[in-house]
């Protein structure tokens, strides 16, 4: 009796996995599976993209020419340049030839106007600020101005922290350094120390006078070299060849760029460490015995 009950209860399970042959349903099901399998096969007219190289060289799809590059749409545009500085393309014939890469950013093309003839030009313009000749001239003028100011600031910053208090006390004047004997900057409370409006009036007036004079001169003449302001009291450029002048102009720009980075680093260091830069690295700014005593 128990055996018969088990047999009866197992019949539905067996029927669920048994092939259905009633009215030819078995053949219809098999034909449906075959049709689905055939539909998943690649069409002879449909390209296959294999960016990861999963198809082997002797695979039927590759031998039949069905494997196509993803960049096929790009290559249809003959004016589109394709560059591959890291040599990621297995077929280098797909890469445009004759492209000049930027000397400072070798993974992007060199900007059209930055051909290396200007002093300090290393092809660095990732945001395309110098989009035309006028913009390039304006950027050159702005860079040399900031470079010269930064070089003065990089030298004056530690000198102020070392000498300002002594000079102020000698003339019985209040000190203008920020807390911790730091140079005033926008990252600390230093600007509030120059509360006298005469300081700001004089500073703004001097800058405005220089800019107005330059703007008036530009209305009457065109200056090809924005770095040339006629200031050479030691006649450093006198008798120099074009190559030597180019070298000295580059040296000025490179030192100015380093100065811009330096004063930015000074301001961030003093804001983050809350101490003067001459106390953070005294070996660069103080006598060796004082520096060693302070470091110890």
């Amino acid at each position: 009796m128990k055996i018969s009950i088990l047999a009866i209860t197992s019949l539905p399970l067996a029927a669920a996995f048994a092939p259905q042959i009633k009215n030819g349903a078995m053949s219809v099901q098999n034909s449906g599976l075959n049709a689905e399998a055939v539909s998943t096969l690649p069409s002879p007219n449909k390209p296959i993209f294999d960016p990861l190289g999963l198809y082997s060289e002797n695979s039927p799809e590759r031998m039949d020419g069905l494997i196509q590059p993803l960049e096929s749409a790009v290559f249809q545009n003959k004016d589109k340049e394709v560059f591959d500085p890291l040599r990621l393309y297995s077929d280098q014939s797909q890469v445009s030839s004759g492209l000049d890469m930027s000397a400072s950013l070798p993974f992007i093309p060199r900007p059209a106007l930055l051909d290396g003839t200007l002093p300090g030009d290393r092809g660095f313009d990732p945001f395309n600020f110098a989009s035309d000749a006028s913009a390039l001239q304006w950027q050159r003028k702005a860079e040399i101005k900031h470079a010269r100011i930064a070089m003065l600031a990089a030298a004056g910053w530690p000198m102020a922290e070392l000498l300002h208090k002594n000079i102020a006390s000698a003339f019985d004047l209040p000190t203008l350094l920020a807390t911790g004997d730091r140079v005033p900057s926008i990252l600390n409370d230093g600007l509030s120390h120059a509360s006298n409006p005469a300081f700001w009036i004089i500073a703004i007036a001097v800058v405005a006078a220089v800019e107005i004079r330059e703007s008036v001169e530009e209305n009457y003449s065109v200056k090809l070299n924005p770095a040339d302001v006629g200031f050479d009291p030691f006649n450093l450029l006198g008798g120099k060849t074009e190559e030597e002048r180019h070298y000295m102009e580059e040296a000025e720009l490179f030192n100015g760029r380093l100065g811009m980075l330096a004063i930015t680093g000074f301001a961030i260091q003093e804001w983050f460490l809350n101490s003067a830069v001459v106390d953070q690295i005294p070996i660069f700014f103080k006598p060796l015995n004082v520096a060693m005593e302070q470091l110890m």
Side-chain angles (χ1 to χ4, degrees), residues 98-180:
L99 280 177
D100 292 334
M101 308 306 292
S102 170
S104 56
L105 300 173
F107 48 86
I108 63 173
R110 175 185 58 79
L113 295 178
L114 302 182
D115 55 1
T117 58
L118 297 175
D121 177 13
R122 295 298 182 268
F124 184 83
D125 188 15
F127 299 107
N128 195 29
F129 288 142
S131 56
D132 52 43
S134 177
L136 175 60
Q137 184 75 353
W138 192 91
Q139 294 290 341
R140 289 183 64 201
K141 181 169 63 175
E143 182 183 32
I144 191 61
K145 286 181 179 179
H146 286 81
R148 289 167 175 170
I149 293 174
M151 286 187 285
L152 293 174
W157 192 298
M159 290 176 62
E161 293 181 343
L162 291 172
L163 305 175
H164 175 75
K165 294 184 70 174
N166 295 333
I167 296 175
S169 61
F171 290 93
D172 197 21
L173 296 174
T175 179
L176 297 180
L177 293 178
T179 56

Side-chain angles (χ1 to χ4, degrees), residues 42-58:
S43 171
N45 299 325
K46 185 177 181 181
I48 302 175
F49 302 111
D50 183 28
L52 300 180
L54 301 179
Y55 287 83
S56 60
E57 293 295 333
N58 57 355

Side-chain angles (χ1 to χ4, degrees), residues 54-110:
L54 301 179
Y55 287 83
S56 60
E57 293 295 333
N58 57 355
S59 63
E61 293 83 0
R62 194 173 293 278
M63 296 179 68
D64 292 341
L66 297 178
I67 308 298
Q68 299 294 330
L70 279 172
E71 298 81 359
S72 58
V74 174
F75 290 110
Q76 292 176 2
N77 185 3
K78 301 302 181 181
D79 297 332
K80 183 73 174 181
E81 300 285 357
V82 178
F83 54 95
D84 181 26
L86 300 180
R87 303 188 68 82
L88 300 178
Y89 284 79
S90 57
D91 185 5
Q92 286 294 310
S93 64
Q94 301 174 356
V95 181
S96 302
S97 58
L99 280 177
D100 292 334
M101 308 306 292
S102 170
S104 56
L105 300 173
F107 48 86
I108 63 173
R110 175 185 58 79

